[in-house]
Amino acid sequence: MSTFQAPKGTYDLTPPRSATFLAVREAIAAPLRDSGYGYIETPGFENVELFARGVGESTDIVTKEMYTLTTKGGSQLALRPEGTASVLRAALEANLHKAGNLPVKLWYSGSYYRYERPQAGRYRHFSQVGAEAIGTEDPVLDAELIILADQAYRSLGLRRFRILLNSLGDKECRPVYREALQTFLRDLDLDEETRRRIEINPLRVLDDKRADVRKQLTDAPKLRDYLCDACKAYHEEVRALLTTAGVAFEDDEKLVRGLDYYTRTTFEFVHDGLGAQSAVGGGDGDDGLSEMIGGPELPSVGWALGVDRTVLALEAEGIELDLPSTTSVYAVPLGEEARRVLFGVVTELRRAGVAADFAFGGRGLKGAMKSANRSGARYTLVAGERDLAEGVVQLKDMESGEQGPVALAEVAAELTKRLG
Ligand code: AMP
């Protein structure tokens, strides 16, 4: 072990578990790519003001959890705590919304940073794959995103997840509800910090987990009763589309997911095998974000799925992904001359698109064959001086155990053929 360890709240991805992470990222990305979403990549840090405005000055993410830094040049930057604000900034900066093809559909994948209290499933560095659809307000788009996330989880074999669904209203009805809620909350017996929250972000108070607060919230006004007709119709349409697609969901009118500019559809994917940090992904519509960061009025909707927690969910369900071995051919040279010749064959195979590896370090046959086994390769190539003198290598099928000589000049073609 070295003197250093991964910083608190972080962990390293190492083989073989890292292969599962790659597969999860790929499984989430694949349905998006197949549905017209283009890949976007933004910097790992942004101007701190982007998040202050785009995530919201009153949120825990911005007030407590952001990693901020001042550069030598005096710029205030923050490591990105989430993806939406950066993606929207980048889309606006590149004028993607003016290219005449709305909605702008984007997907992303990367690292995010929050200074949170670490616990199982909650880290200070974590990984998300996300999607945003910008510029069009259409319940089909909300449904599409939820269906694609559901498809991603199902393709991984996950079953014990649930989809919680709610509508947060829009610019018309949301403020009316907000005021009614504030009036109700101001009369309750609450501590100072919660009282402040009432004025800044009252919906968050509904998230309070403390029993004495929960008890007082029983008769709180319900958002559902304040939704305008347009929002009701929109939400009914999203629900109907999900039902038609065979995607089960639970109406959860307590689901508010924090941010103040979230509008209309809000949803969360929760997994029942994860304990306290049960949210594996979530998403929302938002009407205000673009304007908040200085852009035009543009609606958007999107989600972010946590890769770390999705891997934990797989483990909780005992699912082992069927990951094909990365190495198809393993070459074992016996002697100096064989090293040169077999390394040549390996290079040729690799150039032909066959995944091949090599027993480095001049080990004996026994040790090298162990490595060949461990590599999961379907075929092993072994060559010693006598083989080379005869112009052949020994080709072993690791599944059937069959072994025989193949002419050196033909071995690459033979393997390419056998591996299809
Ligand atoms: P949020 O932006 O908070 O809605 O997060 C979206 C998803 O990212 C969550 O559902 C989690 O799967 C994941 N996530 C958020 N914060 C963390 C964290 N601190 N550690 C691990 N995963 C996280």
Side-chain angles (χ1 to χ4, degrees):
M1 211 170 100
S2 92
T3 347
F4 298 106
Q5 290 173 359
K8 184 174 174 191
T10 72
Y11 62 100
D12 303 306
L13 289 176
T14 52
R17 197 166 175 252
S18 53
T20 306
F21 273 74
L22 282 181
V24 164
R25 286 200 186 105
E26 175 55 26
I28 301 174
L32 295 168
R33 271 199 311 262
D34 290 347
S35 308
Y37 290 73
Y39 180 64
I40 185 166
E41 191 164 321
T42 64
F45 50 81
E46 295 273 356
N47 198 312
V48 73
E49 197 56 25
L50 174 74
F51 300 119
R53 292 217 218 148
V55 179
E57 223 121 21
S58 69
T59 58
D60 284 353
I61 293 186
V62 168
T63 54
K64 299 184 192 153
E65 297 169 3
M66 220 150 53
Y67 283 89
T68 52
L69 61 115
T70 308
T71 65
K72 291 198 180 76
S75 309
Q76 297 281 318
L77 302 177
L79 300 187
R80 57 185 179 189
E82 57 96 55
T84 307
S86 313
V87 166
L88 199 59
R89 177 208 46 77
L92 293 172
E93 192 171 329
N95 276 321
L96 298 184
H97 60 297
K98 289 185 185 156
N101 193 17
L102 295 179
V104 177
K105 300 207 293 185
L106 302 166
W107 75 274
Y108 59 90
S109 173
S111 290
Y112 297 85
Y113 307 85
R114 293 183 197 171
Y115 189 74
E116 299 199 80
R117 199 167 47 75
Q119 62 180 87
R122 191 161 77 190
Y123 312 105
R124 291 180 170 177
H125 164 260
F126 57 97
S127 173
Q128 290 182 338
V129 176
E132 294 291 334
I134 302 163
T136 308
E137 189 180 296
D138 186 340
V140 181
L141 209 43
D142 302 36
E144 168 176 290
L145 279 160
I146 296 172
I147 291 166
L148 293 176
D150 177 81
Q151 190 179 324
Y153 284 142
R154 287 191 184 279
S155 77
L156 287 164
L158 288 171
R159 292 294 175 267
R160 286 174 58 204
F161 66 89
R162 292 176 291 130
I163 302 173
L164 311 180
L165 186 69
N166 194 19
S167 171
L168 294 179
D170 64 8
K171 272 185 281 200
E172 301 306 315
C173 54
R174 172 76 164 274
V176 183
Y177 171 68
R178 188 184 144 102
E179 221 170 290
L181 182 62
Q182 283 175 321
T183 307
F184 171 85
L185 293 173
R186 284 184 195 122
D187 282 340
L188 303 184
D189 178 21
L190 298 167
D191 59 279
E192 261 320 297
E193 191 184 337
T194 312
R195 301 203 76 82
R196 265 198 303 278
R197 190 167 285 165
I198 295 174
E199 304 312 318
I200 307 166
N201 202 342
L203 266 73
R204 285 282 314 284
V205 181
L206 298 178
D207 267 345
D208 207 305
K209 302 281 185 293
R210 291 170 296 183
D212 61 312
V213 179
R214 296 226 66 83
K215 211 167 57 203
Q216 301 185 68
L217 294 175
T218 325
D219 294 327
K222 298 205 174 11
L223 187 50
R224 190 183 43 189
D225 300 331
Y226 286 78
L227 288 187
C228 62
D229 288 343
C231 279
K232 269 188 208 152
Y234 193 98
H235 195 55
E236 277 318 307
E237 185 63 16
V238 174
R239 295 176 77 258
L241 289 163
L242 292 178
T243 304
T244 306
V247 171
F249 56 88
E250 297 170 20
D251 293 308
D252 180 355
E253 56 182 28
K254 291 219 174 62
L255 184 71
V256 295
R257 288 182 39 81
L259 308 201
D260 228 18
Y261 59 74
Y262 285 165
T263 47
R264 289 190 308 280
T265 310
T266 190
F267 50 97
E268 195 145 77
F269 285 74
V270 293
H271 191 275
D272 291 326
L274 293 186
Q277 305 303 316
S278 62
V280 285
D284 317 88
D286 46 65
D287 283 351
L289 177 58
S290 173
E291 282 169 280
M292 207 91 77
I293 63 172
E297 201 179 323
L298 273 179
S300 62
V301 55
W303 52 241
L305 307 190
V307 177
D308 311 75
R309 284 190 202 162
T310 304
V311 171
L312 292 176
L314 287 172
E315 289 168 359
E317 288 200 39
I319 297 169
E320 292 227 11
L321 298 180
D322 187 16
L323 302 173
S325 157
T326 45
T327 304
S328 302
V329 178
Y330 197 92
V332 177
L334 303 170
E336 274 309 305
E337 176 64 9
R339 271 156 65 82
R340 267 175 240 126
V341 173
L342 275 193
F343 186 61
V345 174
V346 162
T347 301
E348 191 184 348
L349 283 168
R350 288 173 175 167
R351 287 182 177 150
V354 175
D357 204 357
F358 187 79
F360 295 93
R363 273 171 305 160
L365 180 62
K366 208 169 143 208
M369 286 311 285
K370 251 191 210 153
S371 301
N373 260 322
R374 216 174 290 139
S375 78
R378 174 71 200 272
Y379 295 101
T380 308
L381 292 175
V382 184
E385 270 166 39
R386 198 186 310 161
D387 298 307
L388 294 182
E390 290 169 13
V392 299
V393 297
Q394 300 297 326
L395 173 61
K396 181 172 180 184
D397 182 330
M398 301 295 274
E399 242 164 56
S400 66
E402 262 170 60
Q403 186 173 329
V406 178
L408 196 51
E410 278 152 35
V411 68
E414 173 67 20
L415 279 168
T416 315
K417 191 180 81 193
R418 286 207 200 183
L419 287 161

